Amino acid sequence: MQQPIAISDALKQVKYDSAGLVPVVAQDHLTHAVLMVAWMNAEALERTLETGQMVYWSRSRGALWRKGETSGHTQTLVSLSIDCDGDTLLAMVEQTGPACHTGEQTCFFRKVQPA
């Protein structure tokens, strides 16, 4: 396991797509349940690392949003990892309340029956 990297170095290692975004998988740090997948731009990532609260980029609104700013269902950052290619982030979070806007604990509540 590698040593943690400095924030300034981490910011340089993230590879954003052509829209300037990187996907973020938010996972509960205690249960390891995958809560949601969202997007960050560089500013959202910087704000998240500065504040310890998950800040994402809303593609539909074209604006930053802090998770829970209207619902109160916040995500506090516990740890952040960059994948081997630098094009996906994994955020281990402490979730307050449900993660999904539907009221479900996770956005992945619709199970598919394999053939």
Side-chain angles (χ1 to χ4, degrees), residues 14-41:
V14 175
K15 296 177 185 169
Y16 299 94
D17 67 12
S18 60
L21 302 175
V22 62
V24 184
V25 177
Q27 187 173 11
D28 187 287
H29 78 110
L30 294 176
T31 67
H32 299 279
V34 174
L35 300 172
M36 58 185 274
V37 176
W39 296 89
M40 282 185 175
N41 62 10

Side-chain angles (χ1 to χ4, degrees), residues 40 43-55 77:
M40 282 185 175
E43 185 179 359
L45 179 54
E46 288 177 27
R47 286 195 187 180
T48 295
L49 294 171
E50 288 171 0
T51 66
Q53 294 298 306
M54 296 304 294
V55 177
L77 181 64

Side-chain angles (χ1 to χ4, degrees), residues 54-76:
M54 296 304 294
V55 177
Y56 299 106
W57 177 258
S58 170
R59 295 179 299 169
S60 60
R61 291 181 291 209
L64 294 175
W65 60 282
R66 182 182 52 81
K67 179 67 173 160
E69 64 190 356
T70 56
S71 69
H73 302 153
T74 60
Q75 291 178 344
T76 301

